[in-house]
Amino acid sequence: YGHARRKGNPKLLFMGMRRSGKSSIQKVIFEKFSPAETLFLDPTTRIEPSTMESFIKFESAELPYNLPYTAPDFDRDAIFASTGAIIWVLDMQDEYYHSITKLIETAVFLLETYPHINFEVFIHKTDGLSEEYKYDTFRDVRQRVADELADHGHADRGIAFYQTSIFDHSVYEAMSKVIQKLLPQLPAMESLLNKLCSACRIQKAYLFDTISKIYLATDASPTFLKDYEVCSDYVDVIVDIKQIYGWQTRGQDGVLVTDSSRESGAPGESLITYDRSGNTYIYAREINDYLSLICIMGQGSTADKRVLIDYNVSILHEALTQVFKL
Ligand code: GDP
């Protein structure tokens, strides 16, 4: 992947059958709806782009699955030329045969006409299903898509699959991975996090977009949904503490401003706490108004390392400023 990393804001297009969950996913992630609030959403009939003002401006929109892109007067470039990723949402709780047919048709068209676009498939609404059913369905869908693509001569083209539900963290994790592929700064961020982890013996580090709780990068160690769940809850803790104690930042417009009071490691700007659920220590720090760093540390590494970590995080902060050329 990575061929679709382009300049500008990541632009995402959601496609899939009616009622598959396209609007719900966007409302929950970008507009902070609760999952229950999506129950009675009106069907989308027009292309309604929405943007989210955060560290990275995500643009997302929803397309009708029967978009007449083969019609001669259809302005394909207007829709696809600047798109980074198509997310095909497939309702796992519904009869999905027809959706797969449409998915293949669309994927083949895009692979041939707009090969820069990443094609991502959310096998959606996994909540309430048994592990066995989820596993079998996931395999079935993936296999059918792979077979059909091979029949069309696209055996070598990567399509990524994710199991998602708006009722748990899975949809955030999937969106994180989709968006990361569109960030030209990803390799730099990853290597900075790798360095931080080895310098401070951190198990897992996530750099979060604070508002959306999408993680922009993580270190190279294996990624588990459980770790993401624990860490994303601490993003909320950071936001709460900030509201209560008013951690001041001078960053504006997503700019990583070097704030001297933060560089000195003033108390209150980082937090180390013991997380019972994971039996681990958590280090949480707001990098600026838009970015948060959350790290999981093993049993051995305790709070006395805080000064060391704070110091290394200030180096990370400097480097991120360089990476984003701000
Ligand atoms: P769209 O037509 O593709 O935009 O579909 P909607 O977003 O309007 O969703 C259709 C229905 O599916 C709504 O009643 C949602 O509450 C429901 N839905 C969306 N996501 C999920 C999910 O992850 N799990 C379950 N069980 N229902 C979902």
Side-chain angles (χ1 to χ4, degrees), residues 48-81:
E48 294 172 38
S50 63
T51 49
M52 199 187 64
E53 298 291 325
S54 189
F55 181 67
I56 290 177
K57 264 196 204 156
F58 308 103
E59 282 179 45
S60 83
E62 187 176 329
L63 297 183
Y65 74 90
N66 50 0
L67 197 73
Y69 48 71
T70 48
D73 60 341
F74 189 83
D75 188 0
R76 302 168 180 181
D77 277 356
I79 292 186
F80 296 116

PDB file of all heavy atoms in Angstrom, residues 48-81:
ATOM      1  N   GLU A  48     -23.109  14.187   0.048  1.00  0.00           N
ATOM      2  CA  GLU A  48     -22.957  15.259   1.038  1.00  0.00           C
ATOM      3  C   GLU A  48     -21.593  15.162   1.685  1.00  0.00           C
ATOM      4  O   GLU A  48     -21.408  14.394   2.618  1.00  0.00           O
ATOM      5  CB  GLU A  48     -24.007  15.110   2.143  1.00  0.00           C
ATOM      6  CG  GLU A  48     -25.422  15.295   1.710  1.00  0.00           C
ATOM      7  CD  GLU A  48     -26.392  14.926   2.836  1.00  0.00           C
ATOM      8  OE1 GLU A  48     -26.082  15.220   4.006  1.00  0.00           O
ATOM      9  OE2 GLU A  48     -27.420  14.327   2.525  1.00  0.00           O
ATOM     10  N   PRO A  49     -20.656  15.946   1.191  1.00  0.00           N
ATOM     11  CA  PRO A  49     -19.332  15.859   1.793  1.00  0.00           C
ATOM     12  C   PRO A  49     -19.308  16.513   3.175  1.00  0.00           C
ATOM     13  O   PRO A  49     -20.017  17.483   3.417  1.00  0.00           O
ATOM     14  CB  PRO A  49     -18.433  16.630   0.814  1.00  0.00           C
ATOM     15  CG  PRO A  49     -19.335  17.372  -0.084  1.00  0.00           C
ATOM     16  CD  PRO A  49     -20.751  16.961   0.157  1.00  0.00           C
ATOM     17  N   SER A  50     -18.549  15.938   4.064  1.00  0.00           N
ATOM     18  CA  SER A  50     -18.369  16.582   5.358  1.00  0.00           C
ATOM     19  C   SER A  50     -16.886  16.607   5.666  1.00  0.00           C
ATOM     20  O   SER A  50     -16.139  15.740   5.241  1.00  0.00           O
ATOM     21  CB  SER A  50     -19.129  15.831   6.439  1.00  0.00           C
ATOM     22  OG  SER A  50     -18.610  14.535   6.568  1.00  0.00           O
ATOM     23  N   THR A  51     -16.450  17.626   6.381  1.00  0.00           N
ATOM     24  CA  THR A  51     -15.049  17.675   6.749  1.00  0.00           C
ATOM     25  C   THR A  51     -14.953  17.741   8.256  1.00  0.00           C
ATOM     26  O   THR A  51     -15.889  18.164   8.926  1.00  0.00           O
ATOM     27  CB  THR A  51     -14.335  18.932   6.200  1.00  0.00           C
ATOM     28  OG1 THR A  51     -15.120  20.075   6.515  1.00  0.00           O
ATOM     29  CG2 THR A  51     -14.120  18.839   4.714  1.00  0.00           C
ATOM     30  N   MET A  52     -13.847  17.279   8.774  1.00  0.00           N
ATOM     31  CA  MET A  52     -13.659  17.400  10.194  1.00  0.00           C
ATOM     32  C   MET A  52     -12.429  18.227  10.469  1.00  0.00           C
ATOM     33  O   MET A  52     -11.352  17.921   9.983  1.00  0.00           O
ATOM     34  CB  MET A  52     -13.530  16.046  10.843  1.00  0.00           C
ATOM     35  CG  MET A  52     -13.812  16.169  12.318  1.00  0.00           C
ATOM     36  SD  MET A  52     -13.474  14.674  13.163  1.00  0.00           S
ATOM     37  CE  MET A  52     -11.758  14.583  12.872  1.00  0.00           C
ATOM     38  N   GLU A  53     -12.622  19.285  11.245  1.00  0.00           N
ATOM     39  CA  GLU A  53     -11.514  20.158  11.585  1.00  0.00           C
ATOM     40  C   GLU A  53     -10.746  19.546  12.734  1.00  0.00           C
ATOM     41  O   GLU A  53     -11.207  19.517  13.843  1.00  0.00           O
ATOM     42  CB  GLU A  53     -12.040  21.529  12.008  1.00  0.00           C
ATOM     43  CG  GLU A  53     -12.792  22.263  10.927  1.00  0.00           C
ATOM     44  CD  GLU A  53     -11.875  22.720   9.798  1.00  0.00           C
ATOM     45  OE1 GLU A  53     -10.722  23.071  10.094  1.00  0.00           O
ATOM     46  OE2 GLU A  53     -12.312  22.712   8.643  1.00  0.00           O
ATOM     47  N   SER A  54      -9.581  19.041  12.399  1.00  0.00           N
ATOM     48  CA  SER A  54      -8.758  18.505  13.454  1.00  0.00           C
ATOM     49  C   SER A  54      -7.326  18.660  12.992  1.00  0.00           C
ATOM     50  O   SER A  54      -7.057  19.447  12.105  1.00  0.00           O
ATOM     51  CB  SER A  54      -9.113  17.048  13.716  1.00  0.00           C
ATOM     52  OG  SER A  54      -8.460  16.618  14.874  1.00  0.00           O
ATOM     53  N   PHE A  55      -6.423  17.896  13.584  1.00  0.00           N
ATOM     54  CA  PHE A  55      -5.033  18.047  13.171  1.00  0.00           C
ATOM     55  C   PHE A  55      -4.910  17.791  11.675  1.00  0.00           C
ATOM     56  O   PHE A  55      -4.265  18.508  10.942  1.00  0.00           O
ATOM     57  CB  PHE A  55      -4.132  17.084  13.935  1.00  0.00           C
ATOM     58  CG  PHE A  55      -2.705  17.244  13.556  1.00  0.00           C
ATOM     59  CD1 PHE A  55      -2.039  18.410  13.870  1.00  0.00           C
ATOM     60  CD2 PHE A  55      -2.039  16.258  12.863  1.00  0.00           C
ATOM     61  CE1 PHE A  55      -0.722  18.603  13.497  1.00  0.00           C
ATOM     62  CE2 PHE A  55      -0.727  16.438  12.494  1.00  0.00           C
ATOM     63  CZ  PHE A  55      -0.064  17.616  12.814  1.00  0.00           C
ATOM     64  N   ILE A  56      -5.549  16.719  11.241  1.00  0.00           N
ATOM     65  CA  ILE A  56      -5.617  16.447   9.823  1.00  0.00           C
ATOM     66  C   ILE A  56      -7.050  16.626   9.409  1.00  0.00           C
ATOM     67  O   ILE A  56      -7.959  16.137  10.062  1.00  0.00           O
ATOM     68  CB  ILE A  56      -5.115  15.030   9.533  1.00  0.00           C
ATOM     69  CG1 ILE A  56      -3.614  15.030   9.775  1.00  0.00           C
ATOM     70  CG2 ILE A  56      -5.465  14.616   8.121  1.00  0.00           C
ATOM     71  CD1 ILE A  56      -2.944  13.760   9.627  1.00  0.00           C
ATOM     72  N   LYS A  57      -7.261  17.378   8.360  1.00  0.00           N
ATOM     73  CA  LYS A  57      -8.624  17.599   7.901  1.00  0.00           C
ATOM     74  C   LYS A  57      -9.062  16.408   7.077  1.00  0.00           C
ATOM     75  O   LYS A  57      -8.616  16.218   5.960  1.00  0.00           O
ATOM     76  CB  LYS A  57      -8.657  18.841   7.020  1.00  0.00           C
ATOM     77  CG  LYS A  57      -9.047  20.096   7.733  1.00  0.00           C
ATOM     78  CD  LYS A  57      -9.424  21.131   6.699  1.00  0.00           C
ATOM     79  CE  LYS A  57      -9.263  22.527   7.270  1.00  0.00           C
ATOM     80  NZ  LYS A  57      -9.071  23.501   6.214  1.00  0.00           N
ATOM     81  N   PHE A  58      -9.937  15.607   7.650  1.00  0.00           N
ATOM     82  CA  PHE A  58     -10.462  14.484   6.891  1.00  0.00           C
ATOM     83  C   PHE A  58     -11.646  14.982   6.085  1.00  0.00           C
ATOM     84  O   PHE A  58     -12.476  15.717   6.585  1.00  0.00           O
ATOM     85  CB  PHE A  58     -10.971  13.387   7.825  1.00  0.00           C
ATOM     86  CG  PHE A  58      -9.984  12.963   8.855  1.00  0.00           C
ATOM     87  CD1 PHE A  58     -10.106  13.384  10.169  1.00  0.00           C
ATOM     88  CD2 PHE A  58      -8.940  12.127   8.512  1.00  0.00           C
ATOM     89  CE1 PHE A  58      -9.195  12.993  11.127  1.00  0.00           C
ATOM     90  CE2 PHE A  58      -8.028  11.733   9.473  1.00  0.00           C
ATOM     91  CZ  PHE A  58      -8.153  12.163  10.779  1.00  0.00           C
ATOM     92  N   GLU A  59     -11.721  14.565   4.862  1.00  0.00           N
ATOM     93  CA  GLU A  59     -12.926  14.847   4.085  1.00  0.00           C
ATOM     94  C   GLU A  59     -13.563  13.519   3.796  1.00  0.00           C
ATOM     95  O   GLU A  59     -12.894  12.580   3.373  1.00  0.00           O
ATOM     96  CB  GLU A  59     -12.569  15.499   2.751  1.00  0.00           C
ATOM     97  CG  GLU A  59     -12.238  16.963   2.859  1.00  0.00           C
ATOM     98  CD  GLU A  59     -11.879  17.526   1.495  1.00  0.00           C
ATOM     99  OE1 GLU A  59     -12.591  17.225   0.521  1.00  0.00           O
ATOM    100  OE2 GLU A  59     -10.879  18.237   1.425  1.00  0.00           O
ATOM    101  N   SER A  60     -14.863  13.431   4.006  1.00  0.00           N
ATOM    102  CA  SER A  60     -15.491  12.170   3.657  1.00  0.00           C
ATOM    103  C   SER A  60     -16.850  12.417   3.041  1.00  0.00           C
ATOM    104  O   SER A  60     -17.491  13.427   3.292  1.00  0.00           O
ATOM    105  CB  SER A  60     -15.588  11.249   4.878  1.00  0.00           C
ATOM    106  OG  SER A  60     -16.718  11.575   5.636  1.00  0.00           O
ATOM    107  N   ALA A  61     -17.261  11.516   2.200  1.00  0.00           N
ATOM    108  CA  ALA A  61     -18.548  11.625   1.539  1.00  0.00           C
ATOM    109  C   ALA A  61     -19.047  10.219   1.233  1.00  0.00           C
ATOM    110  O   ALA A  61     -18.308   9.248   1.349  1.00  0.00           O
ATOM    111  CB  ALA A  61     -18.425  12.430   0.259  1.00  0.00           C
ATOM    112  N   GLU A  62     -20.295  10.162   0.858  1.00  0.00           N
ATOM    113  CA  GLU A  62     -20.941   8.881   0.639  1.00  0.00           C
ATOM    114  C   GLU A  62     -21.472   8.863  -0.790  1.00  0.00           C
ATOM    115  O   GLU A  62     -22.075   9.826  -1.236  1.00  0.00           O
ATOM    116  CB  GLU A  62     -22.095   8.826   1.639  1.00  0.00           C
ATOM    117  CG  GLU A  62     -22.808   7.558   1.732  1.00  0.00           C
ATOM    118  CD  GLU A  62     -23.865   7.640   2.834  1.00  0.00           C
ATOM    119  OE1 GLU A  62     -23.666   8.362   3.842  1.00  0.00           O
ATOM    120  OE2 GLU A  62     -24.885   6.999   2.674  1.00  0.00           O
ATOM    121  N   LEU A  63     -21.226   7.791  -1.501  1.00  0.00           N
ATOM    122  CA  LEU A  63     -21.690   7.700  -2.887  1.00  0.00           C
ATOM    123  C   LEU A  63     -22.760   6.628  -3.004  1.00  0.00           C
ATOM    124  O   LEU A  63     -22.650   5.587  -2.371  1.00  0.00           O
ATOM    125  CB  LEU A  63     -20.538   7.312  -3.820  1.00  0.00           C
ATOM    126  CG  LEU A  63     -19.365   8.268  -3.945  1.00  0.00           C
ATOM    127  CD1 LEU A  63     -18.377   7.719  -4.963  1.00  0.00           C
ATOM    128  CD2 LEU A  63     -19.836   9.641  -4.369  1.00  0.00           C
ATOM    129  N   PRO A  64     -23.760   6.859  -3.836  1.00  0.00           N
ATOM    130  CA  PRO A  64     -24.729   5.801  -4.096  1.00  0.00           C
ATOM    131  C   PRO A  64     -24.014   4.623  -4.774  1.00  0.00           C
ATOM    132  O   PRO A  64     -23.129   4.847  -5.593  1.00  0.00           O
ATOM    133  CB  PRO A  64     -25.728   6.429  -5.066  1.00  0.00           C
ATOM    134  CG  PRO A  64     -25.359   7.862  -5.188  1.00  0.00           C
ATOM    135  CD  PRO A  64     -24.009   8.065  -4.621  1.00  0.00           C
ATOM    136  N   TYR A  65     -24.380   3.400  -4.413  1.00  0.00           N
ATOM    137  CA  TYR A  65     -23.640   2.252  -4.951  1.00  0.00           C
ATOM    138  C   TYR A  65     -23.846   2.107  -6.456  1.00  0.00           C
ATOM    139  O   TYR A  65     -23.016   1.569  -7.161  1.00  0.00           O
ATOM    140  CB  TYR A  65     -24.037   0.961  -4.228  1.00  0.00           C
ATOM    141  CG  TYR A  65     -25.401   0.427  -4.605  1.00  0.00           C
ATOM    142  CD1 TYR A  65     -25.555  -0.463  -5.665  1.00  0.00           C
ATOM    143  CD2 TYR A  65     -26.528   0.808  -3.894  1.00  0.00           C
ATOM    144  CE1 TYR A  65     -26.811  -0.937  -6.007  1.00  0.00           C
ATOM    145  CE2 TYR A  65     -27.766   0.339  -4.229  1.00  0.00           C
ATOM    146  CZ  TYR A  65     -27.918  -0.526  -5.288  1.00  0.00           C
ATOM    147  OH  TYR A  65     -29.143  -0.999  -5.617  1.00  0.00           O
ATOM    148  N   ASN A  66     -25.006   2.627  -6.931  1.00  0.00           N
ATOM    149  CA  ASN A  66     -25.278   2.493  -8.362  1.00  0.00           C
ATOM    150  C   ASN A  66     -24.911   3.762  -9.129  1.00  0.00           C
ATOM    151  O   ASN A  66     -25.564   4.142 -10.079  1.00  0.00           O
ATOM    152  CB  ASN A  66     -26.747   2.139  -8.593  1.00  0.00           C
ATOM    153  CG  ASN A  66     -27.656   3.081  -7.821  1.00  0.00           C
ATOM    154  OD1 ASN A  66     -27.182   3.973  -7.127  1.00  0.00           O
ATOM    155  ND2 ASN A  66     -28.954   2.890  -7.952  1.00  0.00           N
ATOM    156  N   LEU A  67     -23.850   4.388  -8.658  1.00  0.00           N
ATOM    157  CA  LEU A  67     -23.349   5.585  -9.315  1.00  0.00           C
ATOM    158  C   LEU A  67     -23.134   5.297 -10.807  1.00  0.00           C
ATOM    159  O   LEU A  67     -22.435   4.349 -11.157  1.00  0.00           O
ATOM    160  CB  LEU A  67     -21.998   5.922  -8.668  1.00  0.00           C
ATOM    161  CG  LEU A  67     -21.446   7.311  -8.889  1.00  0.00           C
ATOM    162  CD1 LEU A  67     -22.245   8.318  -8.081  1.00  0.00           C
ATOM    163  CD2 LEU A  67     -19.994   7.346  -8.471  1.00  0.00           C
ATOM    164  N   PRO A  68     -23.710   6.120 -11.693  1.00  0.00           N
ATOM    165  CA  PRO A  68     -23.610   5.804 -13.134  1.00  0.00           C
ATOM    166  C   PRO A  68     -22.286   6.269 -13.730  1.00  0.00           C
ATOM    167  O   PRO A  68     -22.254   7.066 -14.654  1.00  0.00           O
ATOM    168  CB  PRO A  68     -24.790   6.584 -13.726  1.00  0.00           C
ATOM    169  CG  PRO A  68     -24.945   7.750 -12.811  1.00  0.00           C
ATOM    170  CD  PRO A  68     -24.504   7.317 -11.450  1.00  0.00           C
ATOM    171  N   TYR A  69     -21.177   5.729 -13.196  1.00  0.00           N
ATOM    172  CA  TYR A  69     -19.885   6.264 -13.635  1.00  0.00           C
ATOM    173  C   TYR A  69     -19.500   5.875 -15.059  1.00  0.00           C
ATOM    174  O   TYR A  69     -18.525   6.365 -15.587  1.00  0.00           O
ATOM    175  CB  TYR A  69     -18.766   5.902 -12.653  1.00  0.00           C
ATOM    176  CG  TYR A  69     -18.713   4.453 -12.242  1.00  0.00           C
ATOM    177  CD1 TYR A  69     -18.314   3.479 -13.140  1.00  0.00           C
ATOM    178  CD2 TYR A  69     -19.050   4.068 -10.948  1.00  0.00           C
ATOM    179  CE1 TYR A  69     -18.267   2.144 -12.764  1.00  0.00           C
ATOM    180  CE2 TYR A  69     -19.018   2.746 -10.564  1.00  0.00           C
ATOM    181  CZ  TYR A  69     -18.620   1.795 -11.474  1.00  0.00           C
ATOM    182  OH  TYR A  69     -18.583   0.483 -11.100  1.00  0.00           O
ATOM    183  N   THR A  70     -20.282   4.973 -15.674  1.00  0.00           N
ATOM    184  CA  THR A  70     -19.967   4.623 -17.059  1.00  0.00           C
ATOM    185  C   THR A  70     -20.703   5.526 -18.056  1.00  0.00           C
ATOM    186  O   THR A  70     -20.403   5.497 -19.239  1.00  0.00           O
ATOM    187  CB  THR A  70     -20.332   3.152 -17.359  1.00  0.00           C
ATOM    188  OG1 THR A  70     -21.654   2.932 -16.859  1.00  0.00           O
ATOM    189  CG2 THR A  70     -19.363   2.208 -16.691  1.00  0.00           C
ATOM    190  N   ALA A  71     -21.663   6.310 -17.561  1.00  0.00           N
ATOM    191  CA  ALA A  71     -22.401   7.196 -18.455  1.00  0.00           C
ATOM    192  C   ALA A  71     -21.453   8.224 -19.067  1.00  0.00           C
ATOM    193  O   ALA A  71     -20.547   8.715 -18.388  1.00  0.00           O
ATOM    194  CB  ALA A  71     -23.522   7.899 -17.682  1.00  0.00           C
ATOM    195  N   PRO A  72     -21.642   8.545 -20.359  1.00  0.00           N
ATOM    196  CA  PRO A  72     -20.685   9.421 -21.052  1.00  0.00           C
ATOM    197  C   PRO A  72     -20.595  10.827 -20.454  1.00  0.00           C
ATOM    198  O   PRO A  72     -19.538  11.440 -20.467  1.00  0.00           O
ATOM    199  CB  PRO A  72     -21.214   9.476 -22.493  1.00  0.00           C
ATOM    200  CG  PRO A  72     -22.598   8.902 -22.454  1.00  0.00           C
ATOM    201  CD  PRO A  72     -22.694   8.043 -21.253  1.00  0.00           C
ATOM    202  N   ASP A  73     -21.706  11.317 -19.922  1.00  0.00           N
ATOM    203  CA  ASP A  73     -21.659  12.687 -19.397  1.00  0.00           C
ATOM    204  C   ASP A  73     -21.293  12.735 -17.915  1.00  0.00           C
ATOM    205  O   ASP A  73     -21.377  13.768 -17.279  1.00  0.00           O
ATOM    206  CB  ASP A  73     -23.023  13.367 -19.623  1.00  0.00           C
ATOM    207  CG  ASP A  73     -24.138  12.602 -18.914  1.00  0.00           C
ATOM    208  OD1 ASP A  73     -23.912  11.415 -18.579  1.00  0.00           O
ATOM    209  OD2 ASP A  73     -25.223  13.176 -18.697  1.00  0.00           O
ATOM    210  N   PHE A  74     -20.899  11.621 -17.386  1.00  0.00           N
ATOM    211  CA  PHE A  74     -20.584  11.590 -15.958  1.00  0.00           C
ATOM    212  C   PHE A  74     -19.165  12.103 -15.703  1.00  0.00           C
ATOM    213  O   PHE A  74     -18.215  11.616 -16.315  1.00  0.00           O
ATOM    214  CB  PHE A  74     -20.739  10.161 -15.427  1.00  0.00           C
ATOM    215  CG  PHE A  74     -20.635  10.070 -13.942  1.00  0.00           C
ATOM    216  CD1 PHE A  74     -21.723  10.330 -13.138  1.00  0.00           C
ATOM    217  CD2 PHE A  74     -19.416   9.741 -13.333  1.00  0.00           C
ATOM    218  CE1 PHE A  74     -21.629  10.269 -11.762  1.00  0.00           C
ATOM    219  CE2 PHE A  74     -19.316   9.682 -11.957  1.00  0.00           C
ATOM    220  CZ  PHE A  74     -20.429   9.938 -11.182  1.00  0.00           C
ATOM    221  N   ASP A  75     -19.059  13.082 -14.839  1.00  0.00           N
ATOM    222  CA  ASP A  75     -17.744  13.666 -14.561  1.00  0.00           C
ATOM    223  C   ASP A  75     -17.027  12.848 -13.495  1.00  0.00           C
ATOM    224  O   ASP A  75     -17.070  13.157 -12.315  1.00  0.00           O
ATOM    225  CB  ASP A  75     -17.917  15.121 -14.108  1.00  0.00           C
ATOM    226  CG  ASP A  75     -16.576  15.833 -13.987  1.00  0.00           C
ATOM    227  OD1 ASP A  75     -15.528  15.198 -14.252  1.00  0.00           O
ATOM    228  OD2 ASP A  75     -16.575  17.023 -13.633  1.00  0.00           O
ATOM    229  N   ARG A  76     -16.347  11.805 -13.959  1.00  0.00           N
ATOM    230  CA  ARG A  76     -15.674  10.911 -13.001  1.00  0.00           C
ATOM    231  C   ARG A  76     -14.554  11.606 -12.246  1.00  0.00           C
ATOM    232  O   ARG A  76     -14.372  11.388 -11.054  1.00  0.00           O
ATOM    233  CB  ARG A  76     -15.033   9.746 -13.747  1.00  0.00           C
ATOM    234  CG  ARG A  76     -15.965   8.937 -14.554  1.00  0.00           C
ATOM    235  CD  ARG A  76     -15.086   8.074 -15.404  1.00  0.00           C
ATOM    236  NE  ARG A  76     -15.846   7.199 -16.278  1.00  0.00           N
ATOM    237  CZ  ARG A  76     -15.278   6.340 -17.099  1.00  0.00           C
ATOM    238  NH1 ARG A  76     -13.961   6.247 -17.141  1.00  0.00           N
ATOM    239  NH2 ARG A  76     -16.004   5.577 -17.866  1.00  0.00           N
ATOM    240  N   ASP A  77     -13.800  12.399 -12.985  1.00  0.00           N
ATOM    241  CA  ASP A  77     -12.656  13.043 -12.339  1.00  0.00           C
ATOM    242  C   ASP A  77     -13.073  13.900 -11.145  1.00  0.00           C
ATOM    243  O   ASP A  77     -12.354  13.979 -10.160  1.00  0.00           O
ATOM    244  CB  ASP A  77     -11.889  13.902 -13.341  1.00  0.00           C
ATOM    245  CG  ASP A  77     -10.916  13.067 -14.163  1.00  0.00           C
ATOM    246  OD1 ASP A  77     -10.811  11.846 -13.872  1.00  0.00           O
ATOM    247  OD2 ASP A  77     -10.283  13.606 -15.078  1.00  0.00           O
ATOM    248  N   ALA A  78     -14.239  14.524 -11.277  1.00  0.00           N
ATOM    249  CA  ALA A  78     -14.696  15.390 -10.187  1.00  0.00           C
ATOM    250  C   ALA A  78     -14.803  14.592  -8.896  1.00  0.00           C
ATOM    251  O   ALA A  78     -14.557  15.095  -7.807  1.00  0.00           O
ATOM    252  CB  ALA A  78     -16.043  16.004 -10.540  1.00  0.00           C
ATOM    253  N   ILE A  79     -15.161  13.336  -9.030  1.00  0.00           N
ATOM    254  CA  ILE A  79     -15.352  12.521  -7.837  1.00  0.00           C
ATOM    255  C   ILE A  79     -14.102  11.731  -7.462  1.00  0.00           C
ATOM    256  O   ILE A  79     -13.714  11.681  -6.295  1.00  0.00           O
ATOM    257  CB  ILE A  79     -16.543  11.561  -8.042  1.00  0.00           C
ATOM    258  CG1 ILE A  79     -17.819  12.392  -8.101  1.00  0.00           C
ATOM    259  CG2 ILE A  79     -16.608  10.522  -6.939  1.00  0.00           C
ATOM    260  CD1 ILE A  79     -19.070  11.595  -8.145  1.00  0.00           C
ATOM    261  N   PHE A  80     -13.455  11.131  -8.452  1.00  0.00           N
ATOM    262  CA  PHE A  80     -12.402  10.173  -8.112  1.00  0.00           C
ATOM    263  C   PHE A  80     -10.968  10.705  -8.145  1.00  0.00           C
ATOM    264  O   PHE A  80     -10.099  10.153  -7.481  1.00  0.00           O
ATOM    265  CB  PHE A  80     -12.495   8.949  -9.023  1.00  0.00           C
ATOM    266  CG  PHE A  80     -13.761   8.175  -8.844  1.00  0.00           C
ATOM    267  CD1 PHE A  80     -14.688   8.068  -9.874  1.00  0.00           C
ATOM    268  CD2 PHE A  80     -14.043   7.554  -7.632  1.00  0.00           C
ATOM    269  CE1 PHE A  80     -15.864   7.355  -9.707  1.00  0.00           C
ATOM    270  CE2 PHE A  80     -15.216   6.840  -7.459  1.00  0.00           C
ATOM    271  CZ  PHE A  80     -16.130   6.742  -8.495  1.00  0.00           C
ATOM    272  N   ALA A  81     -10.742  11.757  -8.930  1.00  0.00           N
ATOM    273  CA  ALA A  81      -9.339  12.154  -9.127  1.00  0.00           C
ATOM    274  C   ALA A  81      -8.639  12.490  -7.809  1.00  0.00           C
ATOM    275  O   ALA A  81      -7.470  12.161  -7.623  1.00  0.00           O
ATOM    276  CB  ALA A  81      -9.255  13.327 -10.096  1.00  0.00           C
TER     277      ALA A  81
END
